[in-house]
């Protein structure tokens, strides 16, 4: 703890003009600010090196006992007390938060892991800093094989709306992780005209698009059916409204295959 107090004094004295430290080649104490990447670290067998996670981390079960250091806005006092030699972050964090971490002389590894391609890259990079390259290569090979399996299948495309948030109503545009999963499951995203965004939408617009299937991630099926105007949606009238865990559907992790299979059941019931 004394080391971090000295660092804070050093910063307040205006002595932090040198470049921020690089990510260590062999990280031993990792604070992860991205729940999906926490899962990756544990999948690599690097779980024992993770000393802190966010308030949103809930998988794997082992994270339940780990200290919490806030969420997209870290609790810096708690984070510093853990004396990490690496913080894993997401470029989607507020830039000032990443800059502040670097100002505190903490090595930050910022990984754009919000897609299947990003997940693949994260495996390789995290494998390198945790000395688990062999396991990373094994998982990367398995990921590619699973993708080949899903992409090899063909069939009719079902038009689907995935609700990312309900107040306000939000969904996923094309090129996002959720959109990728929809495609792998044999679906067509009704909001694919919004590129790489998570737009806020209206019930009036949704009524114009009339999806065949609606997938909720936060709301409940019974509640959705009673929303104003939703009784005019064909998917609601046909009883084709389903719920899939947001953790499973929205977080890019090695559980993506499970998410695709659940989507498939909703889109193509047998």
């Amino acid at each position: 703890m004394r080391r971090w107090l000295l660092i804070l004094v050093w910063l307040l004295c205006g002595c932090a003009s040198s470049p921020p430290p690089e990510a260590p080649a062999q990280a031993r104490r990792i604070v992860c600010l991205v729940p999906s990447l926490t899962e990756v670290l544990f999948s690599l067998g690097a779980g024992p090196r993770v000393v802190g996670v966010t308030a949103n981390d809930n998988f794997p079960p082992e994270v339940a006992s780990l200290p919490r250091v806030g969420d997209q806005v870290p609790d810096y006092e708690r984070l510093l007390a853990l004396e990490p030699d690496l913080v894993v972050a997401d470029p989607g964090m507020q830039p000032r938060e990443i800059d502040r971490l670097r100002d505190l002389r903490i090595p930050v590894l910022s990984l754009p892991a919000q897609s299947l391609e990003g997940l693949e890259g994260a495996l390789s990079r995290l494998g390198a800093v945790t000395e688990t390259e062999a396991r990373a290569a094994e998982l990367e090979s398995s990921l590619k094989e699973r993708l080949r399996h899903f992409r090899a299948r063909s069939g009719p495309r079902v038009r689907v709306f995935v609700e990312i948030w309900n107040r306000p109503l939000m969904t996923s545009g094309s090129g996002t992780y959720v959109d990728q999963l929809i495609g792998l499951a044999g679906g067509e995203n009704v909001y694919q005209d919004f590129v790489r965004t998570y737009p806020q939408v209206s019930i009036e617009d949704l009524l114009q698009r009339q999806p065949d299937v609606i997938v909720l991630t936060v709301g409940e099926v019974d509640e959705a059916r009673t929303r104003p105007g939703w009784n005019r949606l064909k998917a609601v009238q046909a009883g084709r409204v389903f719920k899939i865990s947001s953790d499973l559907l929205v977080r890019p992790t090695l559980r993506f295959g499970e998410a695709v299979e659940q989507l498939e059941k909703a889109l193509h019931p047998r």
Side-chain angles (χ1 to χ4, degrees):
M1 186 64 180
R2 182 173 178 273
R3 179 165 71 97
W4 295 112
L5 290 174
L6 290 172
I7 289 172
L8 287 171
V9 171
W10 179 63
L11 287 169
L12 292 171
C13 290
C15 303
S17 57
S18 60
E22 297 293 330
Q26 300 176 0
R28 301 294 180 185
R29 296 182 61 81
I30 302 171
V31 168
C32 189
L33 302 179
V34 190
S36 60
L37 295 180
T38 299
E39 288 195 34
V40 171
L41 285 164
F42 275 84
S43 297
L44 289 169
R49 302 189 188 206
V50 179
V51 297
V53 295
T54 75
N56 299 316
D57 278 85
N58 55 15
F59 192 89
E62 292 89 332
V63 303
S65 62
L66 290 174
R68 308 286 157 153
V69 294
D71 42 40
Q72 288 289 302
V73 179
D75 181 324
Y76 291 98
E77 183 177 353
R78 290 184 179 181
L79 192 151
L80 290 169
L82 295 172
E83 299 195 355
D85 56 16
L86 179 66
V87 171
V88 176
D90 185 318
M93 286 178 64
Q94 291 290 335
R96 64 176 178 271
E97 302 302 336
I98 293 179
D99 289 343
R100 186 174 180 187
L101 287 167
R102 288 176 171 148
D103 287 344
L104 290 170
R105 316 306 302 149
I106 304 173
V108 178
L109 181 58
S110 184
L111 295 173
Q114 296 306 313
S115 66
L116 288 166
E117 296 77 14
L119 175 59
E120 189 176 330
L123 275 171
S124 176
R125 192 71 183 92
L126 290 175
V129 299
T130 59
E131 306 167 280
T132 57
E133 291 94 340
R135 176 62 175 161
E138 178 185 321
L139 291 173
E140 191 174 337
S141 176
S142 175
L143 183 154
K144 289 179 178 177
E145 181 58 36
R146 202 89 195 270
L147 286 174
R148 281 193 291 268
H149 167 73
F150 287 127
R151 288 167 177 162
R153 295 178 297 181
S154 61
R157 292 275 158 177
V158 177
R159 300 180 71 253
V160 59
F161 168 72
V162 175
E163 178 188 87
I164 299 299
W165 196 249
N166 56 355
R167 296 179 183 175
L169 191 62
M170 296 178 68
T171 189
S172 280
S174 67
T176 59
Y177 177 67
V178 173
D179 182 67
Q180 290 180 311
L181 296 185
I182 291 171
L184 292 173
E188 177 184 318
N189 184 358
V190 297
Y191 278 95
Q192 61 183 328
D193 50 319
F194 288 84
V195 181
R196 296 187 182 279
T197 61
Y198 291 87
Q200 180 177 333
V201 301
S202 67
I203 180 58
E204 291 77 17
D205 190 62
L206 190 56
L207 283 165
Q208 290 291 322
R209 297 178 188 247
Q210 285 293 349
D212 300 310
V213 174
I214 294 173
V215 175
L216 311 175
T217 63
V218 291
E220 297 298 332
V221 172
D222 289 342
E223 175 269 329
R225 290 172 179 153
T226 65
R227 295 177 189 172
W230 278 55
N231 61 342
R232 290 184 285 150
L233 290 166
K234 292 189 299 183
V236 174
Q237 294 168 0
R240 301 197 68 186
V241 182
F242 305 90
K243 180 169 183 179
I244 298 176
S245 164
S246 61
D247 292 347
L248 191 62
L249 195 59
V250 177
R251 292 179 183 175
T253 74
L254 294 168
R255 294 188 289 160
F256 80 93
E258 185 181 344
V260 172
E261 289 169 357
Q262 288 199 25
L263 271 173
E264 280 183 322
K265 290 178 182 178
L267 303 185
H268 306 284
R270 296 176 181 175

